[in-house]
């Protein structure tokens, strides 16, 4: 046979096909921990142009993937090994589910022929992820890969975003397919993706919403993470400033409109939610963060207008009016309706004057406390110094990551957000341990921004080893640890509680006093600072912010300065 008549075929293995599928679907970043059987998959992804950020623990990698989905609006991708790796990754999956962030977890699993025989890291992973997954697919043949990849990515970001799962067994990862067939499979998979189809809200419902707002004596606009992921800041600003209605962001909604805006009601939160008669709630759920929309925090006669992508959420809350759709699109239509027949409360309106007065009073009271230089540090003094340093950076503003009991709660009131999607905290699920994963996701998603984490020592401890990841990738992250010697501040037991055969053990809430957290990052080549006075903290912030290199600032706090559970004593 002549050489020209010979047909040669090029085989590509499953790992390469997964990488090609992810790349074709628009994935350019992945987070995870490699090992049997997914190391080759990570290497193939890197080779094809997908940046792979390798972590020490799947838990932090999962938190990173979930936050990356929120910050970019595209599903964050987590890669784990089988069995325990998948279980560790569930932390990220569950966090994505609770916060409604788009994420896909891909896990290797044991050989299909060895299921039930006690294979290495054997687990029914599809069953394990079920409570947290919108869609789970187990691939049984290499040819199923493109379709499965496109489906989970599409589902994760469609409707109400959330987590999806893809399971690829070790035997499938070792299969190969002809390159020409692979290309056809990729083409077919791409064509089959339906994309997000959101039904347009009815004009009659829009008219009802405008009429409710127009007739309200004490209207309020509340917005949350759903508005943030929709990138609704522009239309929100237009609505607020056209109508003169005050606004209240949920914690991670902060920054969609600047905290310093004259219609911001954050500093008068209790008055705003307690007295409003009509509340337009945009991309936020009436859950524990908003006291379920019920008395006594809310007036018993308040009328809620809910804008949510999820029809079931609106049906669950039973508002006066529900508008199903993407937050940005619904607000665009709402603004057009108002423009045709405008109204504005005005600065002299009694409701606006009342909120403005209360907000100014509360801010003034807090500023009196913030102005004091208390040493040994309480929470307020270093928080003020950090606030001023962050504001001094200007634009693009740093992304703030915050976790901890007292640290997060105090920071929520003191630290100021000026730009959208620049605050990441414990979120809807109150998840502790998210700090370093969030930092890494933020630095990868927004490389032009400095990332600043303000953490309690307990929150930091969940993921502290990931400071090595910061150094390895040279990410511009400054981690500030409020070190008060334990959960809430060390041993807080009454003398009568210290009894029993293990009374000489440390308290359940206490850590090693004076722990040298700053030395941890120095072990890997990063910069550490130990501070205990205002001048020391200011100097460390100035130097680390300017350097934009991985750093840990260990801030010594009075162990008796905080309170148990921060400001959530009623939840404990």
């Amino acid at each position: 046979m002549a050489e020209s008549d010979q047909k040669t075929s090029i085989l590509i293995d499953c790992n390469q096909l997964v990488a090609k599928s992810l790349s074709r679907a628009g994935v350019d970043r992945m987070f995870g921990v490699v090992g049997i059987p997914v190391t080759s998959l990570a290497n193939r992804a890197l080779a094809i142009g997908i940046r792979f950020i390798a972590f020490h623990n799947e838990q932090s990698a999962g938190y990173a993937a979930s936050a990356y989905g929120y910050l970019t609006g595209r599903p964050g991708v987590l890669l784990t090994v089988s069995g325990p790796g998948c279980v560790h990754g569930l932390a990220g999956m569950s966090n994505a589910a609770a916060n409604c962030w788009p994420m896909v977890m891909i896990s290797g699993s044991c050989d299909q022929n060895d299921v039930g025989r006690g294979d290495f890291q054997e687990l029914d992973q599809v069953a394990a992820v079920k409570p947290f997954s919108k869609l789970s697919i187990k691939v049984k043949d290499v040819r199923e890969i493109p379709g499965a990849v496109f489906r989970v990515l599409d589902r994760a970001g469609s409707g109400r975003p959330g987590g999806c799962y893809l399971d690829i067994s070790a035997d499938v990862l070792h299969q190969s397919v002809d390159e020409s067939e692979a290309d056809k499979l990729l083409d077919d998979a791409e064509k089959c993706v339906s994309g997000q189809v959101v039904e347009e809200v009815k004009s009659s419902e829009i008219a009802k919403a405008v009429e409710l707002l127009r007739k309200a004596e004490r209207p309020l606009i509340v917005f949350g993470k759903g508005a943030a992921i929709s990138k609704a800041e522009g239309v929100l600003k237009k609505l607020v400033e056209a109508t003169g209605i005050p606004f209240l962001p949920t914690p991670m909604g902060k920054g969609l409109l600047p905290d310093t805006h004259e219609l911001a009601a954050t500093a008068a939160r209790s008055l705003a939610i307690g007295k409003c008669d009509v509340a337009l709630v945009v991309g936020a759920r009436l859950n524990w963060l908003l006291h379920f929309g019920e008395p006594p925090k809310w007036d018993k006669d308040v009328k809620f207008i809910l804008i949510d992508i999820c029809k079931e959420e609106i049906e669950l809350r039973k508002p006066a009016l529900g508008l199903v759709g993407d937050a940005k699109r619904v607000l665009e239509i709402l603004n057009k309706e108002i423009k045709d027949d405008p109204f504005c409360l005005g600065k002299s309106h009694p409701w606006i004057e009342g909120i403005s007065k209360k907000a100014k009073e509360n801010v003034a009271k807090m500023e009196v406390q913030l102005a004091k230089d208390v040493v040994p540090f309480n929470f307020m003094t270093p928080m003020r110094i950090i606030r001023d340093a962050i504001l001094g950076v200007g634009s693009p503003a740093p992304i703030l990551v915050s976790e901890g009991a007292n640290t997060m709660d105090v920071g929520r009131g003191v630290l100021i957000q000026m730009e959208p999607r620049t605050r990441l905290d414990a979120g809807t699920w109150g998840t502790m341990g998210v700090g370093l994963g969030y930092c890494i996701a933020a630095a990868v998603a927004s490389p032009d921004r400095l990332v600043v984490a303000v953490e309690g020592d307990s929150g930091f401890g969940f993921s502290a080893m990931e400071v090595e990841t910061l150094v390895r990738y040279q990410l511009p992250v400054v981690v500030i640890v409020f070190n008060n010697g334990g959960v809430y501040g060390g041993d807080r037991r009454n003398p009568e509680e210290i009894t029993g055969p293990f009374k000489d053990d440390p308290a359940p809430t206490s850590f090693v006093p004076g722990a040298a957290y700053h030395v941890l990052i120095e072990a890997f080549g990063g910069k550490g600072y130990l501070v205990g006075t205002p001048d020391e903290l200011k100097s460390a912030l100035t130097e680390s912010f300017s350097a934009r290199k991985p750093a840990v600032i260990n801030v010594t706090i009075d162990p008796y300065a905080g309170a148990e559970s921060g400001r959530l004593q009623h939840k404990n």
Side-chain angles (χ1 to χ4, degrees):
M1 183 182 292
E3 186 176 341
S4 59
D5 294 332
Q6 291 180 349
K7 292 184 179 180
T8 59
S9 61
I10 300 173
L11 293 178
I12 66 171
D13 66 16
C14 182
N15 294 290
Q16 188 171 357
L17 185 55
V18 175
K20 277 177 168 280
S21 301
L22 290 168
S23 181
R24 179 81 75 94
V27 173
D28 57 5
R29 302 288 187 273
M30 290 176 68
F31 308 88
V33 177
V34 297
I36 297 171
V38 298
T39 304
S40 293
L41 200 165
N43 287 329
R44 293 291 194 181
L46 270 172
I48 207 169
I50 298 173
R51 190 181 191 193
F52 187 87
I53 307 297
F55 282 70
H56 287 274
N57 187 292
E58 292 93 351
Q59 183 181 39
S60 288
Y63 292 146
S66 69
Y68 186 84
Y70 168 64
L71 292 169
T72 65
R74 305 188 311 273
V77 178
L78 167 67
L79 180 67
T80 84
V81 300
S82 48
C86 173
V87 172
H88 293 166
L90 279 177
M93 280 277 286
S94 58
N95 195 60
N99 285 304
C100 304
W101 292 347
M103 173 185 165
V104 168
M105 180 164 78
I106 301 174
S107 297
S109 58
C110 70
D111 282 15
Q112 295 175 86
N113 291 334
D114 293 328
V115 170
R117 301 174 63 196
D119 194 20
F120 175 68
Q121 296 187 334
E122 181 184 337
L123 173 69
D124 185 348
Q125 291 165 200
V126 171
V129 306
K130 187 177 181 180
F132 311 108
S133 178
K134 293 177 67 178
L135 172 67
S136 299
I137 299 176
K138 183 174 181 64
V139 175
K140 298 180 179 179
D141 184 87
V142 64
R143 291 167 181 81
E144 300 173 9
I145 288 291
V149 168
F150 273 86
R151 282 179 64 200
V152 292
L153 288 167
D154 179 56
R155 183 69 68 85
S158 63
R160 167 165 281 179
C164 289
Y165 176 68
L166 181 60
D167 187 290
I168 312 174
S169 58
D171 54 299
V172 173
L173 284 168
H174 287 100
Q175 292 176 3
S176 296
V177 65
D178 185 271
E179 187 175 38
S180 60
E181 184 180 0
D183 289 340
K184 184 180 185 304
L185 291 167
L186 286 165
D187 291 340
D188 291 344
E190 193 168 15
K191 290 173 187 173
C192 289
V193 174
S194 58
Q196 183 173 347
V197 178
V198 180
E199 188 176 338
E200 190 85 331
V201 66
K202 295 178 182 177
S203 58
S204 59
E205 294 176 332
I206 292 289
K208 287 178 187 176
V210 172
E211 192 63 15
L212 280 170
L213 292 171
R214 188 190 305 278
K215 290 183 176 180
E217 295 181 9
R218 299 176 302 279
L220 179 68
I221 297 172
V222 181
F223 49 82
K225 296 192 296 293
I229 201 168
S230 178
K231 296 182 170 56
E233 54 268 19
V235 286
L236 263 174
K237 182 175 186 289
K238 187 175 180 180
L239 175 64
V240 166
E241 295 183 351
T243 62
I245 298 175
F247 66 86
L248 178 70
T250 62
M252 268 193 273
K254 282 164 63 71
L256 283 176
L257 294 180
D259 284 344
T260 54
H261 195 287
E262 62 182 358
L263 287 170
T266 305
R269 187 179 191 273
S270 295
L271 173 65
I273 68 175
K275 297 295 184 181
C276 76
D277 58 354
V278 175
L280 175 66
V281 182
V282 185
R285 285 175 286 173
L286 294 176
N287 56 19
W288 69 277
L289 285 163
L290 290 173
H291 313 288
F292 308 105
E294 297 173 349
K297 295 293 185 179
W298 295 83
D299 186 275
K300 64 182 177 62
D301 296 319
V302 64
K303 292 182 175 66
F304 287 106
I305 306 168
L306 298 191
I307 299 176
D308 201 286
I309 195 84
C310 179
K311 183 180 180 181
E312 289 75 19
E313 175 67 22
I314 290 174
E315 292 173 345
L316 173 67
R317 307 297 175 180
K318 297 179 174 60
L321 181 63
L323 305 177
V324 180
D326 173 75
K328 183 179 180 180
R329 178 57 184 153
V330 173
L331 289 178
E332 285 173 346
I333 301 170
L334 200 66
N335 280 334
K336 187 176 184 301
E337 180 82 9
I338 290 171
K339 185 180 178 182
D340 293 340
D341 188 8
F343 67 94
C344 186
L345 299 186
K347 294 181 181 179
S348 61
H349 191 284
W351 175 234
I352 305 304
E353 285 189 337
I355 284 183
S356 178
K357 180 183 177 183
K358 188 64 175 177
K360 287 175 181 176
E361 288 175 357
N362 288 342
V363 168
K365 288 177 184 177
M366 186 174 70
E367 288 299 327
V368 169
Q369 297 300 314
L370 289 170
K372 301 173 184 176
D373 279 345
V374 178
V375 181
F377 278 148
N378 59 8
F379 283 86
M380 300 292 270
T381 297
M383 205 67 78
R384 179 203 78 220
I385 296 169
I386 294 165
R387 177 196 67 183
D388 294 345
I390 290 174
L391 288 173
V393 173
S395 187
I399 293 178
L400 171 70
V401 175
S402 183
E403 67 173 330
N406 294 280
T407 306
M408 184 174 65
D409 287 338
V410 174
R412 204 174 267 164
V414 176
L415 301 175
I416 295 173
Q417 311 300 140
M418 299 296 289
E419 297 178 10
R421 291 167 297 281
T422 56
R423 178 182 176 87
L424 294 165
D425 65 21
T428 303
W429 226 22
T431 312
M432 291 298 155
V434 295
L436 271 293
Y438 280 8
C439 286
I440 293 165
V444 171
S446 303
D448 59 326
R449 295 183 188 268
L450 177 69
V451 180
V452 180
V454 182
E455 309 223 322
D457 49 358
S458 176
F460 176 67
F462 279 84
S463 58
M465 191 63 184
E466 301 299 346
V467 297
E468 187 276 338
T469 309
L470 299 181
V471 176
R472 187 172 6 119
Y473 290 97
Q474 282 297 292
L475 300 175
V477 176
V478 177
V479 181
I480 304 166
V481 182
F482 277 46
N483 184 357
N484 62 358
V487 182
Y488 315 127
D491 193 344
R492 289 169 171 263
R493 295 172 296 178
N494 297 319
E496 59 268 21
E497 292 180 290
I498 306 175
T499 185
F502 304 108
K503 61 183 176 61
D504 294 328
D505 274 3
T509 56
S510 64
F511 300 150
V512 171
Y517 296 118
H518 58 293
V519 175
L520 180 62
I521 196 168
E522 291 176 346
F524 306 112
K527 179 69 175 177
Y529 303 85
L530 176 63
V531 305
T533 67
D535 286 344
E536 289 172 348
L537 179 55
K538 289 175 184 176
S539 175
L541 290 169
T542 299
E543 184 178 310
S544 61
F545 281 17
S546 176
R548 291 186 173 239
K549 298 287 186 181
V552 170
I553 302 176
N554 187 6
V555 184
T556 302
I557 303 291
D558 182 346
Y560 298 100
E564 183 177 0
S565 293
R567 300 178 187 179
L568 283 176
Q569 289 93 336
H570 66 290
K571 290 288 183 185
N572 196 353

